[in-house]
Amino acid sequence: MTRIVAAVAVAVALLAPAPAGARTVERPAEAPPAPRPLIFVHGGAGSGAQFESQAMRFASNGYPQDRLAVHEYDSTFGINTMEQVWAGLDALVAERLAATGADQVDLAGHSLGTTVLQGYLTSSPERAARVAHYVNIDGRTAPAPPGGVPTLAVWGEGNPARAIVGAENWYAPDQSHVQVATSAETFGQIYRFLTGSAPATTDVVPEPPGRVTISGEANLFPSNVAAPGTTVEVWRVKAGTGERRGTAPKAAFPVAADGSWGPVAVVGGRHYELALTRDDGSTHHFYFSPFLRDDHFVRLLTSEPGTGIDLLRDQSDGTTSLTIARYKEWWGDQGAGNDVLQIAGTDVVTPVIAPRSKRVNAL
């Protein structure tokens, strides 16, 4: 009883008006707590590139770069088992917790990545205890939130009965399978679920052009292991033609054992070529949309000469092969809603090449 009375007395004293002439000291507002690390796990034939736009949206809303990470693996399971993928995720979770001082991480998976993460969360109570929130994007259903972790399940077009029982289920029936993982609308739902409030923006907000840096990895597709014996060259190019400006690259980086390269400062809004050169003298050229803000999930996905997708292209002296990709499906049979991609004046997004049902996101 004495302690209760004392507490009330203190409260009254705090609420009493200050004596005349007394100075009022304003305390600075406390900064909001830093968000937990968010780790993204891609689906089949995927990489960290599927998280690129969403990561920049999180950063546009104040997420520090060290709170955003991806876990990559060989989705064909030719060089890793599921248990090895989980072990790698264990290591990444431990590393992010140690680096940030956070108590738990948040996890998000897309497509096959939901199989990876649902298995991970239900494999042991210890693993689930290190996860505060789980986001399941257009993948597996479940009879309960995996591992008992609070779950948001995001669903695109398809069977509207899909759900994770006991989770928060959000449906976007007009968005296709890859689109629903990368859209601004999905970002808004994920941000609200993780933080408890709506984002200030769902856009990728440009930074001052002189403050933009990029980095990433150069990996073999689809195994996501480092491309051996390669160097990344960064070239300024003309916007209209892709022709290089100058006789030397702005920067060059030998690709590290883990595939990483960079960072390098670029001018926001300008056009660049990222050239992946090999010891044999061959070069794989990459051209991206202009970088608007820091981007540390740039992925240069390639094949060793004579393997993989390199076998699918015409390699005669009189031909050039292009692969044009985006992380949203190309639609060629939606009438007024069609995408248009012209090569030398010819639209190549046709009903035969890119029907919506085919889920084409690279040509």
Side-chain angles (χ1 to χ4, degrees):
M1 187 68 177
T2 303
R3 282 178 295 182
I4 295 175
V5 172
V8 172
V10 170
V12 171
L14 289 175
L15 293 173
R23 294 178 59 192
T24 301
V25 178
E26 294 186 3
R27 295 183 179 180
E30 292 186 7
R36 295 183 177 92
L38 170 60
I39 299 173
F40 176 79
V41 179
H42 60 78
S47 72
Q50 270 97 42
F51 188 56
E52 189 175 6
S53 294
Q54 302 296 38
M56 288 189 285
R57 291 187 176 107
F58 274 105
S60 296
N61 283 275
Y63 260 66
Q65 289 291 341
D66 68 351
R67 304 294 165 132
L68 302 168
V70 297
H71 180 48
E72 289 163 309
Y73 61 102
D74 176 13
S75 58
T76 70
F77 292 93
I79 62 172
N80 50 230
T81 65
M82 184 65 81
E83 288 73 19
Q84 288 170 330
V85 175
W86 292 344
L89 183 54
D90 280 336
L92 180 57
V93 169
E95 187 271 331
R96 286 294 83 206
L97 291 178
T100 63
D103 56 344
Q104 292 174 299
V105 301
D106 295 325
L107 296 179
H110 174 237
S111 193
L112 179 62
T114 68
T115 297
V116 173
L117 289 180
Q118 287 197 28
Y120 179 81
L121 292 171
T122 57
S123 64
S124 78
E126 292 77 18
R127 282 171 167 162
R130 296 189 298 176
V131 180
H133 303 90
Y134 167 54
V135 181
N136 188 97
I137 305 173
D138 215 40
R140 289 181 63 91
T141 59
V149 175
T151 296
L152 168 67
V154 173
W155 309 102
E157 64 185 5
N159 183 357
R162 293 175 297 167
I164 292 180
V165 179
E168 180 179 336
N169 290 274
W170 180 75
Y171 297 86
D174 295 329
Q175 296 189 17
S176 44
H177 182 61
V178 174
Q179 178 187 13
V180 78
T182 59
S183 73
E185 294 82 5
T186 295
F187 166 76
Q189 293 296 319
I190 296 173
Y191 186 94
R192 179 197 52 76
F193 176 69
L194 298 183
T195 68
S197 61
T201 179
T202 59
D203 293 334
V204 173
V205 178
E207 292 180 296
R211 292 176 51 189
V212 177
T213 62
I214 62 171
S215 65
E217 295 181 8
N219 293 330
L220 299 180
F221 173 85
S223 64
N224 290 315
V225 298
T230 55
T231 297
V232 176
E233 296 180 349
V234 182
W235 293 81
R236 278 282 316 281
V237 296
K238 297 179 181 179
T241 63
E243 180 183 359
R244 290 177 174 177
R245 296 179 180 270
T247 58
K250 174 181 176 61
F253 303 92
V255 173
D258 62 355
S260 62
W261 56 267
V264 58
V266 297
V267 179
R270 294 186 180 175
H271 289 261
Y272 291 86
E273 172 199 344
L274 302 181
L276 190 62
T277 64
R278 292 183 171 84
D279 293 339
D280 65 4
S282 60
T283 302
H284 190 167
H285 307 267
F286 295 83
Y287 303 88
F288 291 82
S289 299
F291 300 100
L292 301 180
R293 63 176 299 120
D294 285 356
D295 186 348
H296 299 296
F297 293 100
V298 180
R299 293 296 183 264
L300 309 181
L301 302 177
T302 190
S303 294
E304 295 191 74
T307 69
I309 58 175
D310 189 49
L311 294 173
L312 302 179
R313 67 184 184 92
D314 189 333
Q315 301 186 42
S316 65
D317 291 339
T319 63
T320 295
S321 299
L322 303 175
T323 301
I324 302 173
R326 71 174 186 182
Y327 294 106
K328 174 185 176 183
E329 288 81 356
W330 301 93
W331 293 344
D333 62 348
Q334 300 298 298
N338 279 0
D339 294 299
V340 176
L341 176 63
Q342 292 187 339
I343 306 295
T346 299
D347 183 11
V348 298
V349 181
T350 68
V352 173
I353 292 174
R356 182 166 179 166
S357 62
K358 202 172 181 180
R359 293 179 170 178
V360 173
N361 56 52
L363 296 169

